[in-house]
């Protein structure tokens, strides 16, 4: 949705030039709190301490696992089926996604780059929970995507610092909510 949000934002009164700051999963809230970013699009779960947010879209998540994993032959899984497997941040997959730091360190170190995550999934080192829209865009021969019955859906939200009074931030939030509402009404997740 980002290209559509940017296009809608640029048409808003009060819009300023955009400078994109890319970061790994979980980095955006701290970037908002320390002033490195003014607004962010973040999937749940996230740390909203000292931040305001507006939910945009909610969608189911799938587990990405190696195509040669014994579980890949199944049609559906539960979190309990993923016991013993690790998520990209080193947290145990059988407990679902964590909002904070992992309880144990990942043997490969925390990974937030999607290309690295997919390679580690293909190798069977980790599994990953992804929104359906992301799984649809990143089909790979070495990865199987399966529904997990007791995995909560994810919500994409726009976040900004609670004390922000910026007209540009307000314009971005308006643009994001408008684009999300339109996408939802049309049944699109892109």
């Amino acid at each position: 949705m980002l290209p559509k949000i940017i296009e809608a934002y640029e048409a808003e009164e009060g819009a300023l030039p955009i400078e994109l700051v890319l970061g790994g999963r979980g980095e955006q809230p701290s970037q908002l709190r320390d002033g490195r970013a003014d607004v962010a699009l973040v999937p749940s779960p996230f740390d909203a301490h000292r931040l305001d947010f507006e939910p945009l879209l909610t969608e189911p998540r799938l587990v990405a696992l190696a195509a040669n994993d014994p579980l890949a032959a199944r049609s559906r899984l539960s979190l309990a089926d993923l016991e013993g497997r690790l998520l990209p941040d080193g947290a145990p997959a059988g407990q679902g996604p964590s909002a904070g730091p992992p309880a144990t360190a990942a043997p490969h170190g925390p990974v937030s780059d999607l290309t690295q995550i997919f390679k580690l999934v293909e190798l069977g080192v980790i599994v990953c929970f992804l929104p359906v829209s992301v799984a649809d865009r990143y089909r790979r021969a070495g990865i199987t995507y399966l529904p997990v019955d007791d995995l909560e859906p994810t919500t994409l939200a726009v976040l900004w610092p609670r004390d922000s009074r910026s007209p540009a931030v307000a314009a971005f939030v308006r643009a994001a909510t408008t684009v999300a509402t339109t996408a939802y009404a049309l049944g699109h997740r892109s």
Side-chain angles (χ1 to χ4, degrees):
M1 282 194 325
L2 184 58
K4 292 176 185 174
I5 292 171
I6 290 172
E7 181 181 341
Y9 167 73
E10 289 173 339
E12 286 273 341
E13 187 173 324
L16 296 173
I18 293 177
E19 180 182 334
L20 291 177
V21 178
L22 301 178
R25 173 109 169 103
E27 293 176 9
Q28 298 90 343
S30 63
Q31 291 172 338
L32 291 167
R33 283 190 283 276
D34 68 19
R36 288 179 286 157
D38 298 312
V39 65
L41 296 176
V42 181
S44 65
F46 52 81
D47 176 6
H49 176 70
R50 295 184 5 233
L51 302 173
D52 279 333
F53 65 93
E54 183 67 33
L56 299 176
L57 291 174
T58 299
E59 63 181 320
R61 283 184 288 180
L62 304 173
V63 65
L65 53 114
N68 62 358
D69 186 302
L71 293 177
R74 308 235 331 244
S75 62
R76 305 189 74 76
L77 299 173
S78 70
L79 286 172
D81 295 325
L82 299 170
E83 204 61 46
R85 290 170 173 81
L86 295 177
L87 295 171
D89 67 357
Q95 297 173 10
S98 64
T104 59
H108 49 75
V111 182
S112 59
D113 177 77
L114 203 50
T115 303
Q116 292 174 359
I117 288 172
F118 285 138
K119 182 49 74 183
L120 291 170
V121 169
E122 286 176 322
L123 294 171
V125 175
I126 61 171
V127 299
C128 184
F129 300 126
L130 296 170
V132 168
S133 61
V134 174
D136 287 346
R137 280 193 309 271
Y138 294 98
R139 295 285 174 188
R140 297 171 79 116
I143 296 177
T144 297
Y145 296 100
L146 294 174
V148 180
D149 291 331
D150 50 349
L151 182 62
E152 294 293 321
T154 189
T155 298
L156 179 66
V158 58
L159 283 70
W160 64 95
R162 186 169 288 147
D163 59 356
S164 176
R165 300 294 175 258
S166 166
V169 168
F172 190 92
V173 172
R174 275 192 309 275
T177 56
T178 299
V179 168
T181 301
T182 302
Y184 182 77
L186 296 174
H188 298 182
R189 291 190 182 102
S190 57

